[in-house]
Structure formats: structure tokens, C-alpha cells
Amino acid sequence: QPKKEEPAQTTTTKTATSSANTTTTKETPKDGTGDWKTFTSSKWGFSVKYPKEWTVAKETDTGASISNQEELTGGLLVEVFINDEFNSSTYNKVKTYKVGEATKVDANIQGTNLKDTYTRLDDTKIDGYEAVRYKLEPGFGDADNPKTCNSIINKSGKYFLVRNKMYDQSFEDGIKLLDQILSTFKFL
């Protein structure tokens, strides 16, 4: 159930290499993810690709976790949480924030006390569904907490929170990789 490998999607480029009619075929990944692994969760109803070097992909009680390290003291972590009440409340709250502006959050949502600062990022689409994105600003929780970007997907009233924690890279580099990962996110 949790993991399933899919064949890589590639395009073929043929190049003539001399007057001897020799043809070289080079396989080029269509989206840069052709050699990535695919994680599929039939329990939670989605699949997503991740870099082939990553070793940790597992289903959890609340969603899934994909990482490039066993111990989450460094690297990059992408988590998917399915919790409609919490995610829909947060989704609707973040929708009211102005893009690019830091907003202090002091709320209790489904028993979780939030005292963070969010900066709403540009909305996006993930597998054709609207998603709001926001960054947790430094200073939330522990001083050692990583840079974090959350995307909440509204799939026809079912809400998926995709959290990206960046331990060792810049926020910009982490977002580039997250965007590449999310470009492969598919609902089953």
C-alpha cells in the first residue's frame, strides 16, 4: 500500500551524429522527475513523486511523511496531513490574510493553540485544486524549528495540509524543490 514504483515519464530526443546515419537516443525526463520514486497512499487517496535519493516515505495515522533523512535533525521533510476540521479552519483564516504581509495568529483551532506569525504566499493549484500557501515566520515554537511552508489544498471540501520543513537549505531552495514535488501530487 504505502509505496509503489511507477515508470518514469520521458521524452525521446534523437540526434544525428555524422554522415554515417548514426542516431543516438537520449532519454530526457519531461518534468525533471523522471527518475524519482513514487509514494502512493490508497488509504489517504493521493500519490506524489520524490527524489530517488530520499529513503524515507511512510504512511502515518494522520497522512504521510516523506524525507531525505531518518532522523529529522536536518534535510527536508514533506508531510501530508488530513484533518478536515483543523485544515478547513486554517484554510479559511489564511484566505483572509493579505499576500506578502506577516499576520500574528492567536487562535484555538480544534484544541490546538496557535501563537504563530504567518506570511501568506501566492495561492497555487495542486492537481487542479486551489491551495493557499503560507510561511511560518522565524520565532515560532522552538528556536531550532526549521523554516516551514504550508500549503492547504481544498479538494471539494476535503482539506489536505502539505507541510514542508527545511532544515539545511534556504527557504527559496526548499520552495523550489517543494514546487517540483507538488507538481507531481495526484489525487487517486
Side-chain angles (χ1 to χ4, degrees):
Q1 274 184 7
K3 275 197 214 180
K4 179 172 89 177
E5 296 296 324
E6 287 184 358
Q9 293 180 338
T10 59
T11 56
T12 302
T13 306
K14 292 189 178 189
T15 311
T17 58
S18 74
S19 60
N21 290 334
T22 306
T23 302
T24 305
T25 301
K26 180 182 176 189
E27 297 288 325
T28 308
K30 193 170 166 179
D31 60 3
T33 63
D35 63 346
W36 285 16
K37 298 175 188 174
T38 300
F39 174 84
T40 300
S41 172
S42 54
K43 177 179 180 180
W44 298 112
F46 70 91
S47 69
V48 66
K49 287 183 166 188
Y50 60 98
K52 67 180 178 182
E53 302 82 27
W54 290 22
T55 57
V56 182
K58 61 185 175 187
E59 215 163 55
T60 66
D61 291 341
T62 57
S65 176
I66 304 166
S67 178
N68 62 350
Q69 295 194 13
E70 286 284 342
E71 300 270 335
L72 295 178
T73 56
L76 182 72
L77 170 69
V78 177
E79 299 171 294
V80 180
F81 295 101
I82 295 86
N83 180 330
D84 287 333
E85 186 177 337
F86 181 82
N87 292 342
S88 67
S89 296
T90 306
Y91 177 93
N92 291 320
K93 186 173 271 307
V94 171
K95 284 291 278 184
T96 67
Y97 302 158
K98 191 173 184 177
V99 173
E101 192 172 285
T103 304
K104 290 199 182 293
V105 178
D106 188 357
N108 189 309
I109 299 175
Q110 195 186 354
T112 300
N113 226 359
L114 300 176
K115 293 188 183 296
D116 299 325
T117 300
Y118 295 171
T119 297
R120 183 173 174 189
L121 305 174
D122 289 328
D123 292 349
T124 190
K125 289 213 178 248
I126 299 173
D127 195 22
Y129 294 93
E130 183 179 307
V132 296
R133 296 178 97 175
Y134 59 99
K135 173 182 176 183
L136 273 71
E137 292 297 338
F140 77 95
D142 297 315
D144 294 335
N145 270 339
K147 297 168 277 299
T148 303
C149 174
N150 290 340
S151 303
I152 301 177
I153 307 164
N154 178 0
K155 182 185 183 267
S156 307
K158 186 164 184 71
Y159 295 86
F160 292 74
L161 170 68
V162 181
R163 175 173 295 147
N164 179 27
K165 292 184 179 181
M166 299 156 262
Y167 291 85
D168 297 334
Q169 56 275 98
S170 70
F171 187 79
E172 292 74 23
D173 288 345
I175 290 297
K176 282 181 195 173
L177 181 57
L178 176 65
D179 285 344
Q180 196 173 16
I181 290 169
L182 289 179
S183 75
T184 71
F185 191 99
K186 303 288 180 228
F187 288 105
L188 305 178

